[in-house]
Amino acid sequence: MSTLLEQLSTLRTETAEDIRQAQDEEALASVFSAVLGRQGRLTQILRGLGSLPREERPEAGRAGNECKRFLEDLHAERRGELANLAISEELSAEGIDVTLPGRPWTLGKLHPSTVALREIYTIFRGLGFSIYEGREVESDEYNFELLNMPPGHPARDMWDTFYTTAPGIILRTHTSPGQIHAMREYAPNPIRIILPGKVYRHEDVTARAESQFYQVEGLVVGRTISLSDLKGTVQHFADRIYGSGRRVRFRKSYFPFTEPSVEVDIDCMLCRAQGCRICKYTGWLEIMGAGMVHPKVLANGGYDPAEWSGFAFGMGPERVAMLKYAITDIRLFYTNDARFLEQMV
Ligand code: FA5
């Protein structure tokens, strides 16, 4: 027994030294197979343990296995060292090849909604508008009531929303509640702002309608603001964003917070107003809802409607981008398909 333990101890010391001394993979492999290989010295010793007297076997077995584990770990460690050494030798032998072409950086691009929003900002900035940010989580009061839609008002059906668990707190369905926030902040001074941001609607998602999308609201309040100011502003916007000479059409409509209310259409640039699938064969494309701010809304915002008047509009930048870039499905904006997103700017 004691001879066996001595044998193991000598084998361990010698092999450890051999492993440390191995200068390359090949030398290391031959040390390994001489000791730990199928016919290796340690393998033979371990195989012979069965012939020891029964009471000596456990201790001898433990010592043998411990020696094996130790040498295997040392071998793995040295193998790693030699591999690193080989790499650094190769690198220093080769040097740096300055003629190799660099790896190109993949640059991120602006999201199409952001591109559309920025174009809209630029146009309205040129007209002296400032940007006012409203809140995405709103109260029912601001989203509906103060905009002349008391509980039970039928117009609420047009804007079914998402509710939070807090009573009366909802995700806004349009950017119009920002009108009230802004008026209450600016009253009694004139206002010329756009209010961009995300809005949410509980509706079926289709090629033309998303359940989350951006809107850009416009609000102008002053003492002599008239419908012709709205028309001039919209005409200028249409010319700038879709190319000059756009025909703009005002169609009468209904919003509880504007009186009169209109939908604004432009002539379809995709088919030159000849009629196509996108304009539903009418030659016209709807670009926004608009109107003169309702007297009740002016009053809710802190302006005396006998002295003040204003116009407001609300448009969807995704729809703006769809027309401009002939995108036929609004769902592409939010499904993160890089093939679509990469095409922008
Ligand atoms: C409104 O939301 C009114 N607040 C707009 C308004 C503001 C009228 C100020 C008068 C004065 P409407 O629901 O029509 O109206 O939406 C306005 C614009 O948002 C539409 O013209 C369209 O461009 C965009 N939009 C509406 N629904 C969707 C949808 N589901 N997906 C994408 N864009 C939409």
Side-chain angles (χ1 to χ4, degrees), residues 147 149 158-159 173-177 179 199 201 203-219 253-258 260-264 286-293 311-320 322 330 334:
L147 292 172
M149 280 178 277
M158 289 199 291
W159 296 294
T173 55
H174 51 176
T175 40
S176 302
Q179 288 188 30
V199 301
R201 291 190 189 174
E203 58 181 63
D204 288 338
V205 175
T206 65
R208 275 186 59 75
E210 255 292 356
S211 55
Q212 53 159 352
F213 52 97
Y214 279 98
Q215 277 194 343
V216 177
E217 187 94 3
L219 174 68
S253 183
Y254 172 72
F255 294 104
F257 35 91
T258 44
S261 303
V262 292
E263 297 280 356
V264 182
E286 179 193 316
I287 57 162
M288 61 173 82
M292 298 305 292
V293 181
F311 70 75
F313 57 81
M315 68 176 110
E318 282 93 1
R319 294 259 178 93
V320 169
M322 285 173 82
I330 198 168
Y334 294 106

Short mmCIF file of all heavy atoms in Angstrom, two decimals, residues 147 149 158-159 173-177 179 199 201 203-219 253-258 260-264 286-293 311-320 322 330 334, ligand 1:
data_model
loop_
_atom_site.label_atom_id
_atom_site.label_comp_id
_atom_site.label_asym_id
_atom_site.label_seq_id
_atom_site.Cartn_x
_atom_site.Cartn_y
_atom_site.Cartn_z
N LEU A 147 -63.53 69.06 -23.47
CA LEU A 147 -63.60 69.25 -24.92
C LEU A 147 -65.05 69.12 -25.39
O LEU A 147 -65.32 68.71 -26.52
CB LEU A 147 -62.70 68.23 -25.64
CG LEU A 147 -61.20 68.43 -25.41
CD1 LEU A 147 -60.42 67.27 -26.01
CD2 LEU A 147 -60.72 69.74 -26.03
N MET A 149 -67.44 67.08 -24.42
CA MET A 149 -68.03 65.74 -24.52
C MET A 149 -68.34 65.22 -23.13
O MET A 149 -67.55 64.46 -22.55
CB MET A 149 -67.05 64.78 -25.22
CG MET A 149 -67.01 64.90 -26.72
SD MET A 149 -65.81 63.77 -27.42
CE MET A 149 -64.31 64.71 -27.21
N MET A 158 -66.55 57.54 -31.02
CA MET A 158 -65.54 57.59 -32.10
C MET A 158 -64.14 57.31 -31.55
O MET A 158 -63.22 57.00 -32.29
CB MET A 158 -65.50 58.99 -32.72
CG MET A 158 -66.71 59.32 -33.56
SD MET A 158 -66.35 60.70 -34.67
CE MET A 158 -66.22 62.08 -33.54
N TRP A 159 -63.97 57.51 -30.23
CA TRP A 159 -62.64 57.39 -29.63
C TRP A 159 -62.68 56.46 -28.42
O TRP A 159 -62.59 56.90 -27.28
CB TRP A 159 -62.13 58.78 -29.21
CG TRP A 159 -61.94 59.71 -30.36
CD1 TRP A 159 -61.03 59.58 -31.36
CD2 TRP A 159 -62.67 60.91 -30.65
NE1 TRP A 159 -61.15 60.62 -32.24
CE2 TRP A 159 -62.14 61.46 -31.84
CE3 TRP A 159 -63.73 61.59 -30.02
CZ2 TRP A 159 -62.63 62.63 -32.41
CZ3 TRP A 159 -64.21 62.75 -30.58
CH2 TRP A 159 -63.66 63.26 -31.77
N THR A 173 -56.87 59.57 -26.32
CA THR A 173 -57.25 59.07 -27.64
C THR A 173 -56.86 60.04 -28.75
O THR A 173 -56.93 59.71 -29.92
CB THR A 173 -58.76 58.85 -27.72
OG1 THR A 173 -59.40 60.08 -27.36
CG2 THR A 173 -59.21 57.75 -26.79
N HIS A 174 -56.50 61.25 -28.34
CA HIS A 174 -56.07 62.26 -29.32
C HIS A 174 -55.23 63.30 -28.57
O HIS A 174 -55.18 63.30 -27.33
CB HIS A 174 -57.26 62.91 -30.04
CG HIS A 174 -58.36 63.42 -29.15
ND1 HIS A 174 -59.44 64.09 -29.63
CD2 HIS A 174 -58.55 63.38 -27.80
CE1 HIS A 174 -60.25 64.44 -28.64
NE2 HIS A 174 -59.72 64.00 -27.53
N THR A 175 -54.58 64.17 -29.31
CA THR A 175 -53.73 65.18 -28.65
C THR A 175 -54.54 66.40 -28.23
O THR A 175 -54.01 67.30 -27.59
CB THR A 175 -52.57 65.60 -29.58
OG1 THR A 175 -53.06 65.71 -30.91
CG2 THR A 175 -51.43 64.61 -29.53
N SER A 176 -55.85 66.42 -28.57
CA SER A 176 -56.67 67.59 -28.26
C SER A 176 -56.73 67.98 -26.78
O SER A 176 -56.83 69.18 -26.48
CB SER A 176 -58.09 67.40 -28.81
OG SER A 176 -58.03 67.20 -30.21
N PRO A 177 -56.67 67.04 -25.81
CA PRO A 177 -56.69 67.50 -24.41
C PRO A 177 -55.55 68.47 -24.09
O PRO A 177 -55.67 69.31 -23.20
CB PRO A 177 -56.57 66.21 -23.58
CG PRO A 177 -56.23 65.12 -24.54
CD PRO A 177 -56.72 65.56 -25.87
N GLN A 179 -54.83 70.94 -25.73
CA GLN A 179 -55.34 72.30 -25.97
C GLN A 179 -55.73 72.96 -24.65
O GLN A 179 -55.43 74.12 -24.41
CB GLN A 179 -56.58 72.24 -26.86
CG GLN A 179 -56.33 71.91 -28.30
CD GLN A 179 -57.64 72.09 -29.12
OE1 GLN A 179 -58.49 72.91 -28.79
NE2 GLN A 179 -57.78 71.30 -30.17
N VAL A 199 -50.82 58.73 -29.22
CA VAL A 199 -52.20 58.56 -28.77
C VAL A 199 -52.59 57.08 -28.92
O VAL A 199 -51.92 56.33 -29.63
CB VAL A 199 -53.16 59.47 -29.57
CG1 VAL A 199 -52.79 60.92 -29.43
CG2 VAL A 199 -53.22 59.07 -31.04
N ARG A 201 -55.83 54.12 -29.21
CA ARG A 201 -57.25 53.87 -29.44
C ARG A 201 -57.54 52.38 -29.43
O ARG A 201 -56.79 51.61 -30.01
CB ARG A 201 -57.70 54.46 -30.77
CG ARG A 201 -57.68 55.95 -30.74
CD ARG A 201 -58.33 56.57 -31.95
NE ARG A 201 -58.06 58.00 -31.91
CZ ARG A 201 -58.38 58.85 -32.87
NH1 ARG A 201 -59.02 58.40 -33.94
NH2 ARG A 201 -58.09 60.13 -32.75
N GLU A 203 -59.10 50.06 -31.04
CA GLU A 203 -59.82 49.78 -32.28
C GLU A 203 -59.12 48.68 -33.06
O GLU A 203 -57.96 48.35 -32.79
CB GLU A 203 -59.98 51.04 -33.12
CG GLU A 203 -58.69 51.73 -33.52
CD GLU A 203 -58.99 52.99 -34.34
OE1 GLU A 203 -59.62 53.92 -33.82
OE2 GLU A 203 -58.58 53.01 -35.50
N ASP A 204 -59.83 48.12 -34.03
CA ASP A 204 -59.24 47.04 -34.83
C ASP A 204 -58.09 47.59 -35.65
O ASP A 204 -58.23 48.61 -36.32
CB ASP A 204 -60.29 46.45 -35.78
CG ASP A 204 -61.30 45.62 -35.00
OD1 ASP A 204 -60.97 45.18 -33.89
OD2 ASP A 204 -62.42 45.44 -35.51
N VAL A 205 -56.96 46.89 -35.58
CA VAL A 205 -55.79 47.33 -36.34
C VAL A 205 -55.93 46.84 -37.78
O VAL A 205 -56.19 45.67 -38.02
CB VAL A 205 -54.50 46.80 -35.68
CG1 VAL A 205 -53.30 47.13 -36.53
CG2 VAL A 205 -54.35 47.39 -34.29
N THR A 206 -55.80 47.78 -38.72
CA THR A 206 -55.91 47.43 -40.14
C THR A 206 -54.76 48.11 -40.88
O THR A 206 -53.92 48.76 -40.25
CB THR A 206 -57.22 47.97 -40.75
OG1 THR A 206 -57.16 49.40 -40.70
CG2 THR A 206 -58.45 47.48 -40.01
N ALA A 207 -54.75 47.98 -42.22
CA ALA A 207 -53.67 48.60 -43.00
C ALA A 207 -53.67 50.12 -42.84
O ALA A 207 -52.65 50.77 -43.01
CB ALA A 207 -53.81 48.23 -44.47
N ARG A 208 -54.81 50.72 -42.48
CA ARG A 208 -54.88 52.18 -42.34
C ARG A 208 -55.00 52.65 -40.90
O ARG A 208 -54.88 53.84 -40.61
CB ARG A 208 -56.08 52.71 -43.13
CG ARG A 208 -55.77 52.96 -44.60
CD ARG A 208 -56.94 53.62 -45.30
NE ARG A 208 -57.35 54.91 -44.74
CZ ARG A 208 -56.68 56.04 -44.91
NH1 ARG A 208 -55.56 56.05 -45.57
NH2 ARG A 208 -57.13 57.16 -44.39
N ALA A 209 -55.28 51.74 -39.98
CA ALA A 209 -55.54 52.17 -38.61
C ALA A 209 -54.72 51.35 -37.61
O ALA A 209 -54.76 50.13 -37.62
CB ALA A 209 -57.02 52.04 -38.30
N GLU A 210 -53.97 52.07 -36.75
CA GLU A 210 -53.21 51.42 -35.68
C GLU A 210 -53.93 51.70 -34.36
O GLU A 210 -54.78 52.58 -34.29
CB GLU A 210 -51.80 52.02 -35.62
CG GLU A 210 -50.70 51.13 -36.18
CD GLU A 210 -50.45 49.89 -35.33
OE1 GLU A 210 -51.06 49.75 -34.27
OE2 GLU A 210 -49.63 49.05 -35.74
N SER A 211 -53.55 50.96 -33.30
CA SER A 211 -54.15 51.27 -32.00
C SER A 211 -53.24 52.20 -31.21
O SER A 211 -53.61 52.71 -30.17
CB SER A 211 -54.42 49.99 -31.22
OG SER A 211 -53.23 49.26 -31.13
N GLN A 212 -52.01 52.41 -31.68
CA GLN A 212 -51.15 53.46 -31.12
C GLN A 212 -50.53 54.18 -32.30
O GLN A 212 -50.08 53.55 -33.25
CB GLN A 212 -50.08 52.87 -30.22
CG GLN A 212 -49.27 51.78 -30.89
CD GLN A 212 -47.93 51.55 -30.22
OE1 GLN A 212 -47.51 52.27 -29.34
NE2 GLN A 212 -47.25 50.52 -30.65
N PHE A 213 -50.55 55.47 -32.29
CA PHE A 213 -49.97 56.24 -33.39
C PHE A 213 -49.69 57.65 -32.89
O PHE A 213 -50.09 58.01 -31.78
CB PHE A 213 -50.91 56.26 -34.61
CG PHE A 213 -52.32 56.69 -34.31
CD1 PHE A 213 -52.73 58.01 -34.50
CD2 PHE A 213 -53.24 55.79 -33.82
CE1 PHE A 213 -54.03 58.41 -34.21
CE2 PHE A 213 -54.54 56.18 -33.54
CZ PHE A 213 -54.94 57.48 -33.73
N TYR A 214 -48.99 58.42 -33.70
CA TYR A 214 -48.72 59.80 -33.31
C TYR A 214 -49.81 60.70 -33.86
O TYR A 214 -50.47 60.38 -34.85
CB TYR A 214 -47.38 60.27 -33.88
CG TYR A 214 -46.19 59.83 -33.07
CD1 TYR A 214 -45.47 58.72 -33.43
CD2 TYR A 214 -45.80 60.56 -31.94
CE1 TYR A 214 -44.37 58.31 -32.70
CE2 TYR A 214 -44.71 60.16 -31.20
CZ TYR A 214 -43.99 59.04 -31.58
OH TYR A 214 -42.92 58.64 -30.83
N GLN A 215 -49.98 61.82 -33.19
CA GLN A 215 -50.77 62.91 -33.76
C GLN A 215 -50.00 64.20 -33.57
O GLN A 215 -49.16 64.30 -32.66
CB GLN A 215 -52.11 63.05 -33.03
CG GLN A 215 -53.17 62.10 -33.53
CD GLN A 215 -54.57 62.47 -33.04
OE1 GLN A 215 -54.74 63.24 -32.11
NE2 GLN A 215 -55.57 61.91 -33.69
N VAL A 216 -50.27 65.14 -34.45
CA VAL A 216 -49.76 66.49 -34.21
C VAL A 216 -50.98 67.40 -34.23
O VAL A 216 -51.70 67.47 -35.23
CB VAL A 216 -48.73 66.93 -35.27
CG1 VAL A 216 -48.30 68.37 -34.99
CG2 VAL A 216 -47.51 66.02 -35.25
N GLU A 217 -51.20 68.02 -33.10
CA GLU A 217 -52.31 68.95 -32.94
C GLU A 217 -51.77 70.34 -33.23
O GLU A 217 -50.60 70.62 -32.96
CB GLU A 217 -52.73 68.87 -31.46
CG GLU A 217 -53.96 69.62 -31.10
CD GLU A 217 -55.19 68.71 -31.17
OE1 GLU A 217 -55.05 67.51 -31.45
OE2 GLU A 217 -56.30 69.23 -30.96
N GLY A 218 -52.59 71.21 -33.74
CA GLY A 218 -52.20 72.62 -33.87
C GLY A 218 -53.22 73.46 -33.15
O GLY A 218 -54.41 73.12 -33.14
N LEU A 219 -52.78 74.52 -32.50
CA LEU A 219 -53.73 75.41 -31.81
C LEU A 219 -53.25 76.85 -31.96
O LEU A 219 -52.10 77.17 -31.62
CB LEU A 219 -53.82 75.05 -30.33
CG LEU A 219 -54.68 76.00 -29.48
CD1 LEU A 219 -56.16 75.91 -29.86
CD2 LEU A 219 -54.51 75.69 -27.98
N SER A 253 -67.59 68.81 -41.42
CA SER A 253 -67.53 67.61 -40.59
C SER A 253 -68.04 67.96 -39.20
O SER A 253 -68.58 69.06 -38.99
CB SER A 253 -66.09 67.11 -40.55
OG SER A 253 -66.01 65.93 -39.81
N TYR A 254 -67.81 67.06 -38.27
CA TYR A 254 -68.25 67.36 -36.90
C TYR A 254 -67.23 66.89 -35.87
O TYR A 254 -66.80 65.74 -35.88
CB TYR A 254 -69.59 66.65 -36.60
CG TYR A 254 -69.98 66.79 -35.16
CD1 TYR A 254 -70.42 68.01 -34.66
CD2 TYR A 254 -69.84 65.72 -34.27
CE1 TYR A 254 -70.74 68.17 -33.31
CE2 TYR A 254 -70.16 65.86 -32.92
CZ TYR A 254 -70.60 67.08 -32.45
OH TYR A 254 -70.89 67.23 -31.13
N PHE A 255 -66.80 67.81 -35.04
CA PHE A 255 -66.05 67.48 -33.83
C PHE A 255 -66.71 68.30 -32.72
O PHE A 255 -67.02 69.48 -32.95
CB PHE A 255 -64.57 67.89 -33.94
CG PHE A 255 -63.81 67.12 -34.97
CD1 PHE A 255 -63.49 67.70 -36.19
CD2 PHE A 255 -63.39 65.81 -34.74
CE1 PHE A 255 -62.80 66.99 -37.16
CE2 PHE A 255 -62.70 65.10 -35.71
CZ PHE A 255 -62.40 65.68 -36.92
N PRO A 256 -66.92 67.72 -31.55
CA PRO A 256 -67.61 68.46 -30.50
C PRO A 256 -66.83 69.69 -30.02
O PRO A 256 -67.41 70.60 -29.45
CB PRO A 256 -67.73 67.45 -29.35
CG PRO A 256 -67.44 66.13 -29.95
CD PRO A 256 -66.56 66.36 -31.13
N PHE A 257 -65.50 69.70 -30.26
CA PHE A 257 -64.67 70.78 -29.71
C PHE A 257 -64.33 71.86 -30.72
O PHE A 257 -63.54 72.76 -30.43
CB PHE A 257 -63.39 70.19 -29.09
CG PHE A 257 -62.86 68.99 -29.83
CD1 PHE A 257 -61.94 69.14 -30.85
CD2 PHE A 257 -63.31 67.72 -29.51
CE1 PHE A 257 -61.47 68.04 -31.54
CE2 PHE A 257 -62.83 66.61 -30.20
CZ PHE A 257 -61.93 66.76 -31.22
N THR A 258 -64.90 71.76 -31.95
CA THR A 258 -64.70 72.83 -32.93
C THR A 258 -66.04 73.17 -33.59
O THR A 258 -66.90 72.30 -33.74
CB THR A 258 -63.70 72.42 -34.04
OG1 THR A 258 -63.99 71.09 -34.46
CG2 THR A 258 -62.27 72.51 -33.58
N PRO A 260 -67.21 76.04 -36.79
CA PRO A 260 -67.51 74.85 -37.57
C PRO A 260 -66.33 73.88 -37.57
O PRO A 260 -65.20 74.25 -37.27
CB PRO A 260 -67.75 75.42 -38.97
CG PRO A 260 -66.94 76.67 -39.02
CD PRO A 260 -66.96 77.23 -37.62
N SER A 261 -66.62 72.63 -37.96
CA SER A 261 -65.58 71.60 -38.06
C SER A 261 -65.42 71.18 -39.51
O SER A 261 -66.39 71.19 -40.27
CB SER A 261 -65.97 70.36 -37.25
OG SER A 261 -66.20 70.69 -35.91
N VAL A 262 -64.19 70.81 -39.85
CA VAL A 262 -63.93 70.37 -41.23
C VAL A 262 -62.98 69.18 -41.24
O VAL A 262 -62.23 68.96 -40.29
CB VAL A 262 -63.28 71.50 -42.08
CG1 VAL A 262 -64.26 72.63 -42.32
CG2 VAL A 262 -62.00 72.01 -41.44
N GLU A 263 -63.04 68.40 -42.32
CA GLU A 263 -61.97 67.44 -42.63
C GLU A 263 -61.22 68.08 -43.78
O GLU A 263 -61.84 68.65 -44.68
CB GLU A 263 -62.53 66.10 -43.11
CG GLU A 263 -63.38 65.35 -42.10
CD GLU A 263 -62.57 64.60 -41.05
OE1 GLU A 263 -61.33 64.58 -41.12
OE2 GLU A 263 -63.21 64.04 -40.14
N VAL A 264 -59.89 67.98 -43.74
CA VAL A 264 -59.11 68.58 -44.81
C VAL A 264 -58.60 67.48 -45.73
O VAL A 264 -58.01 66.50 -45.27
CB VAL A 264 -57.92 69.38 -44.23
CG1 VAL A 264 -57.14 70.04 -45.35
CG2 VAL A 264 -58.39 70.41 -43.23
N GLU A 286 -57.64 62.35 -47.23
CA GLU A 286 -57.89 63.12 -46.00
C GLU A 286 -56.57 63.28 -45.25
O GLU A 286 -55.85 62.30 -45.06
CB GLU A 286 -58.90 62.34 -45.17
CG GLU A 286 -59.23 63.01 -43.86
CD GLU A 286 -59.99 62.05 -42.95
OE1 GLU A 286 -60.90 61.36 -43.42
OE2 GLU A 286 -59.61 61.99 -41.76
N ILE A 287 -56.23 64.50 -44.83
CA ILE A 287 -54.98 64.64 -44.08
C ILE A 287 -55.17 65.09 -42.63
O ILE A 287 -54.30 64.90 -41.81
CB ILE A 287 -53.95 65.56 -44.77
CG1 ILE A 287 -54.53 66.94 -45.05
CG2 ILE A 287 -53.37 64.92 -46.03
CD1 ILE A 287 -53.45 67.98 -45.33
N MET A 288 -56.30 65.71 -42.32
CA MET A 288 -56.49 66.10 -40.92
C MET A 288 -57.93 66.48 -40.62
O MET A 288 -58.73 66.72 -41.53
CB MET A 288 -55.58 67.28 -40.56
CG MET A 288 -55.82 68.54 -41.36
SD MET A 288 -54.84 69.95 -40.76
CE MET A 288 -53.28 69.66 -41.55
N GLY A 289 -58.22 66.53 -39.32
CA GLY A 289 -59.48 67.09 -38.86
C GLY A 289 -59.16 68.49 -38.33
O GLY A 289 -58.07 68.71 -37.80
N ALA A 290 -60.10 69.43 -38.45
CA ALA A 290 -59.78 70.80 -38.02
C ALA A 290 -61.06 71.59 -37.77
O ALA A 290 -62.17 71.08 -37.97
CB ALA A 290 -58.94 71.49 -39.08
N GLY A 291 -60.90 72.83 -37.35
CA GLY A 291 -62.06 73.68 -37.17
C GLY A 291 -61.74 74.88 -36.30
O GLY A 291 -60.59 75.07 -35.87
N MET A 292 -62.77 75.69 -36.05
CA MET A 292 -62.61 76.84 -35.15
C MET A 292 -62.90 76.36 -33.73
O MET A 292 -63.90 75.67 -33.50
CB MET A 292 -63.59 77.96 -35.54
CG MET A 292 -63.37 78.52 -36.94
SD MET A 292 -61.68 79.11 -37.22
CE MET A 292 -61.64 80.54 -36.14
N VAL A 293 -62.03 76.72 -32.81
CA VAL A 293 -62.17 76.24 -31.43
C VAL A 293 -63.57 76.62 -30.89
O VAL A 293 -63.98 77.78 -30.98
CB VAL A 293 -61.06 76.82 -30.51
CG1 VAL A 293 -61.21 76.28 -29.09
CG2 VAL A 293 -59.69 76.50 -31.07
N PHE A 311 -58.24 78.63 -34.02
CA PHE A 311 -58.46 77.42 -34.83
C PHE A 311 -57.59 76.30 -34.29
O PHE A 311 -56.58 76.54 -33.59
CB PHE A 311 -58.24 77.66 -36.33
CG PHE A 311 -56.80 77.89 -36.77
CD1 PHE A 311 -55.89 76.84 -36.85
CD2 PHE A 311 -56.38 79.17 -37.16
CE1 PHE A 311 -54.58 77.05 -37.29
CE2 PHE A 311 -55.08 79.40 -37.59
CZ PHE A 311 -54.17 78.33 -37.66
N ALA A 312 -58.00 75.07 -34.61
CA ALA A 312 -57.23 73.89 -34.18
C ALA A 312 -57.30 72.85 -35.28
O ALA A 312 -58.22 72.85 -36.10
CB ALA A 312 -57.81 73.33 -32.88
N PHE A 313 -56.28 72.02 -35.30
CA PHE A 313 -56.31 70.89 -36.24
C PHE A 313 -55.59 69.71 -35.61
O PHE A 313 -54.84 69.86 -34.63
CB PHE A 313 -55.66 71.27 -37.58
CG PHE A 313 -54.23 71.75 -37.47
CD1 PHE A 313 -53.18 70.85 -37.37
CD2 PHE A 313 -53.95 73.11 -37.47
CE1 PHE A 313 -51.87 71.30 -37.26
CE2 PHE A 313 -52.63 73.57 -37.36
CZ PHE A 313 -51.59 72.67 -37.26
N GLY A 314 -55.82 68.53 -36.15
CA GLY A 314 -55.13 67.34 -35.65
C GLY A 314 -54.86 66.40 -36.81
O GLY A 314 -55.75 66.07 -37.58
N MET A 315 -53.59 66.03 -36.96
CA MET A 315 -53.24 65.13 -38.08
C MET A 315 -52.41 63.95 -37.58
O MET A 315 -51.86 63.99 -36.47
CB MET A 315 -52.44 65.90 -39.13
CG MET A 315 -51.08 66.31 -38.65
SD MET A 315 -50.17 67.09 -39.96
CE MET A 315 -50.13 68.77 -39.40
N GLY A 316 -52.31 62.91 -38.41
CA GLY A 316 -51.53 61.73 -38.04
C GLY A 316 -50.25 61.68 -38.87
O GLY A 316 -50.32 61.47 -40.08
N PRO A 317 -49.09 61.86 -38.25
CA PRO A 317 -47.84 61.85 -39.01
C PRO A 317 -47.57 60.54 -39.75
O PRO A 317 -46.96 60.56 -40.82
CB PRO A 317 -46.75 62.12 -37.98
CG PRO A 317 -47.41 62.22 -36.68
CD PRO A 317 -48.89 62.19 -36.84
N GLU A 318 -48.04 59.42 -39.18
CA GLU A 318 -47.85 58.16 -39.92
C GLU A 318 -48.61 58.21 -41.23
O GLU A 318 -48.12 57.77 -42.27
CB GLU A 318 -48.33 56.95 -39.10
CG GLU A 318 -47.36 56.50 -38.02
CD GLU A 318 -47.65 57.13 -36.68
OE1 GLU A 318 -48.63 57.91 -36.58
OE2 GLU A 318 -46.91 56.85 -35.71
N ARG A 319 -49.81 58.77 -41.18
CA ARG A 319 -50.59 58.90 -42.43
C ARG A 319 -49.89 59.86 -43.38
O ARG A 319 -49.88 59.66 -44.58
CB ARG A 319 -52.01 59.41 -42.12
CG ARG A 319 -52.85 58.44 -41.31
CD ARG A 319 -53.83 57.67 -42.21
NE ARG A 319 -54.60 56.71 -41.43
CZ ARG A 319 -55.78 56.96 -40.89
NH1 ARG A 319 -56.34 58.14 -41.04
NH2 ARG A 319 -56.40 56.02 -40.20
N VAL A 320 -49.29 60.91 -42.83
CA VAL A 320 -48.54 61.87 -43.65
C VAL A 320 -47.41 61.13 -44.36
O VAL A 320 -47.21 61.24 -45.57
CB VAL A 320 -47.97 63.02 -42.77
CG1 VAL A 320 -46.98 63.86 -43.55
CG2 VAL A 320 -49.09 63.88 -42.21
N MET A 322 -47.18 57.92 -44.91
CA MET A 322 -47.71 56.92 -45.84
C MET A 322 -47.98 57.54 -47.21
O MET A 322 -47.65 56.96 -48.24
CB MET A 322 -49.02 56.33 -45.28
CG MET A 322 -48.79 55.36 -44.15
SD MET A 322 -50.34 54.86 -43.40
CE MET A 322 -50.88 53.58 -44.51
N ILE A 330 -50.00 50.71 -42.53
CA ILE A 330 -49.55 51.46 -41.34
C ILE A 330 -48.92 50.53 -40.30
O ILE A 330 -48.10 50.95 -39.49
CB ILE A 330 -50.72 52.26 -40.72
CG1 ILE A 330 -50.19 53.36 -39.79
CG2 ILE A 330 -51.70 51.37 -39.97
CD1 ILE A 330 -51.22 54.37 -39.36
N TYR A 334 -44.87 49.80 -36.70
CA TYR A 334 -44.64 49.31 -35.33
C TYR A 334 -44.34 47.83 -35.25
O TYR A 334 -44.45 47.23 -34.19
CB TYR A 334 -45.83 49.68 -34.44
CG TYR A 334 -45.94 51.18 -34.28
CD1 TYR A 334 -46.92 51.91 -34.92
CD2 TYR A 334 -45.00 51.87 -33.51
CE1 TYR A 334 -46.98 53.29 -34.80
CE2 TYR A 334 -45.05 53.24 -33.40
CZ TYR A 334 -46.04 53.95 -34.04
OH TYR A 334 -46.08 55.30 -33.93
C1 FA5 B 1 -59.13 63.65 -33.90
O1 FA5 B 1 -58.46 62.91 -33.24
C2 FA5 B 1 -59.34 65.10 -33.51
N1 FA5 B 1 -58.82 65.29 -32.18
C3 FA5 B 1 -58.63 65.97 -34.53
C4 FA5 B 1 -58.96 67.43 -34.38
C5 FA5 B 1 -58.10 68.24 -33.64
C6 FA5 B 1 -60.10 67.95 -34.95
C7 FA5 B 1 -58.39 69.59 -33.48
C8 FA5 B 1 -60.39 69.29 -34.78
C9 FA5 B 1 -59.54 70.08 -34.07
P1 FA5 B 1 -59.49 61.96 -35.87
O2 FA5 B 1 -60.01 60.85 -35.04
O3 FA5 B 1 -60.10 62.12 -37.21
O4 FA5 B 1 -59.67 63.32 -35.10
O5 FA5 B 1 -57.90 61.81 -36.02
C10 FA5 B 1 -57.09 62.81 -36.58
C11 FA5 B 1 -56.03 62.21 -37.48
O6 FA5 B 1 -55.31 61.18 -36.78
C12 FA5 B 1 -56.60 61.53 -38.73
O7 FA5 B 1 -56.80 62.46 -39.75
C13 FA5 B 1 -55.50 60.54 -39.04
O8 FA5 B 1 -54.45 61.20 -39.74
C14 FA5 B 1 -54.96 60.14 -37.68
N2 FA5 B 1 -55.57 58.88 -37.25
C15 FA5 B 1 -56.82 58.70 -36.75
N3 FA5 B 1 -57.03 57.41 -36.43
C16 FA5 B 1 -55.89 56.76 -36.73
C17 FA5 B 1 -55.45 55.39 -36.61
N4 FA5 B 1 -56.22 54.45 -36.07
N5 FA5 B 1 -54.19 55.08 -37.02
C18 FA5 B 1 -53.39 56.03 -37.52
N6 FA5 B 1 -53.73 57.33 -37.65
C19 FA5 B 1 -54.96 57.69 -37.27
#
